[in-house]
Amino acid sequence: MNPTQLATTARALVAPGKGILAADESSPTIKKRFDSIGVESTADARRDYRELMFRAPGSQEFISGVILYDETLRQNAKDGTPLVKVLSDLGIIPGIKVDMGAKPLAGCSGELVTEGLDGLRDRLAEYAALGARFAKWRAVITIGEGMPSQACYTTNAHALARYAALCQEAGIVPIVEPEVLMDGKHSIARSEEVTNEILHLVFGALYRQGVYLEGMLLKPNMVMSGYEASSQASVQEVAEATVRTFQRHVPAAVPGIVFLSGGQSDELATEHLSAMNALKTPRPWELSFSYGRALQAAALKAWKGKPDNTKAAQEAYLHRARCNSAARYGTYTRSMEAGATRGDKLVSQD
Ligand code: 13P
């Protein structure tokens, strides 16, 4: 492990005004996305779609890194250039999803634990050789009747820390993603309670396993009311509860917190991030984005699998990237959305 190199990469990923594009949908997930626009999910279609975002003119002003799926890390652009090189040449850092998905947790009906630790050391060595400089592992915490269980909290926290330690050993910056799902009828207070608990356990596990905090990023949910809750917290309430929660649990040594969008509308995901960055309260880390759906939904809708729509799809993607870049400074306003394409709700991101 080279701590200086890890810290430099982690800080570059949260450089001012920039955030991360999560384009690491697994094959089943991207198939569902393509089904929603009536496009067959072939390797070429997946390449064309991702390439149009990677090559969107000027995106490097707003995008610091892209999380890829295994297939994309090995894929060439239409002109034969490796997609990893397309990104690196633009100064965009390539990353890789390394978990093998959230699977049912034995003995805990309705709960999930993320798999993929077996053989991870070898896979990370290969990914580093292919050009990946950071990685992602997503753990899923569900709020519901009797959930989360202690087993769900502890098994996921432990796995996240094992993954993070292995990444750093391989010279790869781990993005540690404990996602408390926003689905459900729960209140914002319950979301805060569960997010507090998982963060406490995750940072305990990271400490015990010797993870170098300066060389990692945290990718959490925002603290919000469940989507089906009868009363929805305001943007200001979400911003205050989210920042308060992270102030209590995330050491100042961590360079950045890069939120997932979690199924929020494009505008709301941006508005929440902007409100957090506008708060007058101590924030020792950068507050940024690592959005999948909230960066891609409008582009997917504009593209529809047709080469003629490439430019419109790039513009839709760049618009969201620009809005989220403004949110990094707390200066986003809804007036920036005038005339923009709005993305449809998409199936959950893995
Ligand atoms: P969403 O922003 O669509 O939630 O996806 C981010 C992600 O990478 C989830 O793992």
Side-chain angles (χ1 to χ4, degrees):
M1 154 164 126
N2 176 339
T4 310
Q5 177 216 317
L6 289 171
T8 303
T9 302
R11 281 199 307 269
L13 286 166
V14 290
K18 295 190 190 185
I20 297 168
L21 164 67
D24 60 326
E25 302 81 5
S26 64
S27 300
T29 300
I30 195 79
K31 181 181 179 311
K32 286 187 204 136
R33 298 276 164 87
F34 280 16
D35 285 348
S36 77
I37 53 163
V39 171
E40 193 190 344
S41 181
T42 62
D44 282 357
R46 292 191 289 273
R47 178 209 57 206
D48 290 347
Y49 173 60
R50 285 161 171 158
E51 183 176 350
L52 80 82
M53 289 187 286
F54 302 171
R55 290 198 196 268
S59 74
Q60 65 273 27
E61 196 185 326
F62 317 117
I63 301 294
S64 55
V66 178
I67 315 174
L68 306 170
Y69 186 57
D70 182 280
E71 174 186 72
T72 321
L73 190 72
R74 304 169 192 279
Q75 220 168 15
N76 291 341
K78 203 164 190 171
D79 68 4
T81 314
L83 287 170
V84 169
K85 184 166 166 16
V86 169
L87 292 171
S88 310
D89 286 351
L90 290 166
I92 298 175
I93 304 173
I96 177 77
K97 181 223 295 293
V98 301
D99 68 64
M100 305 290 270
K103 305 286 162 61
L105 176 60
C108 297
S109 174
E111 296 193 291
L112 301 166
V113 65
T114 303
E115 296 189 347
L117 289 170
D118 288 354
L120 183 56
R121 176 177 276 126
D122 294 342
R123 288 196 293 127
L124 286 167
E126 191 198 2
Y127 287 146
L130 288 167
R133 290 171 52 202
F134 72 103
K136 164 186 138 175
W137 176 288
R138 172 176 178 255
V140 180
I141 312 294
T142 309
I143 301 182
E145 244 347 271
M147 296 191 284
S149 63
Q150 279 306 313
C152 178
Y153 281 127
T154 54
T155 51
N156 277 295
H158 184 260
L160 277 166
R162 282 195 59 198
Y163 139 83
L166 282 163
C167 283
Q168 292 191 333
E169 183 189 270
I172 288 180
V173 168
I175 294 190
V176 172
E177 180 177 356
E179 175 174 0
V180 178
L181 293 179
M182 296 166 185
D183 308 275
K185 294 196 178 92
H186 56 270
S187 63
I188 186 171
R190 179 69 179 136
S191 168
E192 182 166 350
E193 188 177 43
V194 172
T195 306
N196 271 302
E197 186 70 24
I198 188 64
L199 289 175
H200 175 67
L201 290 166
V202 165
F203 279 96
L206 292 170
Y207 174 73
R208 274 190 300 277
Q209 295 191 42
V211 172
Y212 175 59
L213 298 183
E214 290 83 347
M216 65 158 274
L217 296 173
L218 181 72
K219 174 163 174 168
N221 53 288
M222 296 178 191
V223 173
M224 291 172 47
S225 317
Y227 290 132
E228 291 91 50
S230 48
S231 151
Q232 292 288 316
S234 68
V235 168
Q236 195 61 21
E237 284 166 336
V238 168
E240 285 172 12
T242 303
V243 172
R244 173 171 70 230
T245 300
F246 293 98
Q247 283 171 331
R248 288 175 177 165
H249 293 285
V250 184
V254 175
I257 299 176
V258 295
F259 290 97
L260 57 93
S261 58
Q264 302 176 66
S265 72
D266 302 352
E267 296 91 337
L268 200 55
T270 310
E271 221 171 4
H272 281 147
L273 180 63
S274 195
M276 284 185 237
N277 276 312
L279 288 177
K280 300 271 176 282
T281 183
R283 278 178 279 109
W285 2 254
E286 297 293 328
L287 289 179
S288 185
F289 57 93
S290 174
Y291 292 162
R293 285 164 284 179
L295 277 171
Q296 293 188 50
L300 190 71
K301 188 174 168 183
W303 179 57
K304 295 191 189 70
K306 299 199 169 63
D308 286 353
N309 294 337
T310 297
K311 194 158 175 295
Q314 287 180 323
E315 273 164 14
Y317 166 62
L318 286 171
H319 173 69
R320 292 269 37 99
R322 190 177 299 110
C323 288
N324 285 302
S325 171
R328 295 269 343 251
Y329 300 106
T331 58
Y332 166 78
T333 59
R334 286 260 177 168
S335 63
M336 287 178 72
E337 304 290 353
T341 315
R342 169 177 281 208
D344 295 328
K345 194 159 176 64
L346 296 171
V347 291
S348 79
Q349 163 80 351
D350 58 1

